[in-house]
Amino acid sequence: MYAISLGDDGAELRPLEPWRAEEFLAHMERGRELIGQHIGLADAVTDLASSRRFLESYAQKAATDTGRIYGIWTDGKLVGGVLFRTMDIAQGTAEAGCWLEPSAVGRGLVTRACRLIIDWAVEERGIHRVEWHVSVANAPSIAVARRLGMTKDGVLRESFLYRGTRRDMEIWSVLAPEWRAARQA
């Protein structure tokens, strides 16, 4: 098992694997209300079986090179995560995403973790375009896209049905040449 440091505060990024289903569920319970404001993860992981299924689906994505999921730990406790919801190696595209429980908000954890996974996707997997799909109402996630140097490509009006309401979604992206230039600056 490996862990990658996210900085001087002891935060770490680790693979989030099916054997961590119980820990993942406990994390969801702590963060369900906040996480569920904008993304379906809180509705998808409601008990141990659904937690295991969700993590198994990402283990399958990792095995087929179509996605990845990583947890963010602070002081030995799972407090959030980042993922590639989709990865299309042939097309050179991936969609990144994130979530946090309330105790971890405002510490830059998601931005630091996303920098690591985007760097890996661009440099190791040859991804050319990393996308960020976000509800227009999710200001913290939009701020992460900005901090990552992404460009707002546009708004997909009423494209996401969530808990019975249609939501507008912003699409942000960063291209590999832009990512590399920003990393060198």
Side-chain angles (χ1 to χ4, degrees):
M1 188 15 222
Y2 70 87
I4 299 171
S5 172
L6 293 177
D8 295 339
D9 59 359
E12 295 179 327
L13 187 69
R14 304 178 194 165
L16 194 46
E17 299 171 324
W19 63 272
R20 292 193 177 273
E22 193 171 324
E23 183 179 15
F24 185 52
L25 177 61
H27 157 62
M28 274 298 114
E29 292 301 333
R30 291 189 302 271
R32 189 170 307 284
E33 185 176 332
L34 178 65
I35 295 165
Q37 288 178 1
H38 300 289
I39 63 173
L41 179 58
D43 296 339
V45 177
T46 58
D47 57 21
L48 188 56
S50 61
S51 179
R52 189 175 324 285
R53 276 193 308 273
F54 184 82
L55 294 178
E56 286 172 350
S57 75
Y58 274 89
Q60 181 63 31
K61 286 182 178 194
T64 58
D65 214 14
T66 58
R68 298 284 191 287
I69 190 168
Y70 305 92
I72 298 170
W73 275 262
T74 61
D75 300 318
K77 182 171 111 178
L78 178 63
V79 296
V82 294
L83 55 74
F84 286 115
R85 197 183 70 74
T86 61
M87 287 180 67
D88 185 332
I89 300 301
Q91 288 296 314
T93 61
E95 179 193 337
C98 66
W99 72 94
L100 282 175
E101 66 181 59
S103 69
V105 171
R107 297 168 48 191
L109 296 169
V110 164
T111 302
R112 289 184 273 159
C114 282
R115 283 186 181 127
L116 283 173
I117 69 167
I118 292 171
D119 203 49
W120 171 83
V122 169
E123 300 304 339
E124 298 294 326
R125 300 303 300 127
I127 295 295
H128 177 72
R129 176 185 169 89
V130 177
E131 294 183 349
W132 192 265
H133 297 206
V134 56
S135 165
V136 298
N138 191 345
S141 188
I142 292 168
V144 170
R146 284 190 177 108
R147 284 192 299 273
L148 292 171
M150 292 185 165
T151 298
K152 182 178 169 182
D153 293 333
V155 177
L156 301 175
R157 298 177 308 135
E158 297 185 7
S159 65
F160 184 60
L161 182 61
Y162 185 64
R163 295 181 174 174
T165 303
R166 291 218 161 265
R167 295 185 177 197
D168 292 352
M169 297 296 287
E170 291 183 1
I171 308 299
W172 292 72
S173 68
V174 64
L175 305 178
E178 298 164 342
W179 183 257
R180 288 182 184 114
R183 298 298 285 168
Q184 291 176 351

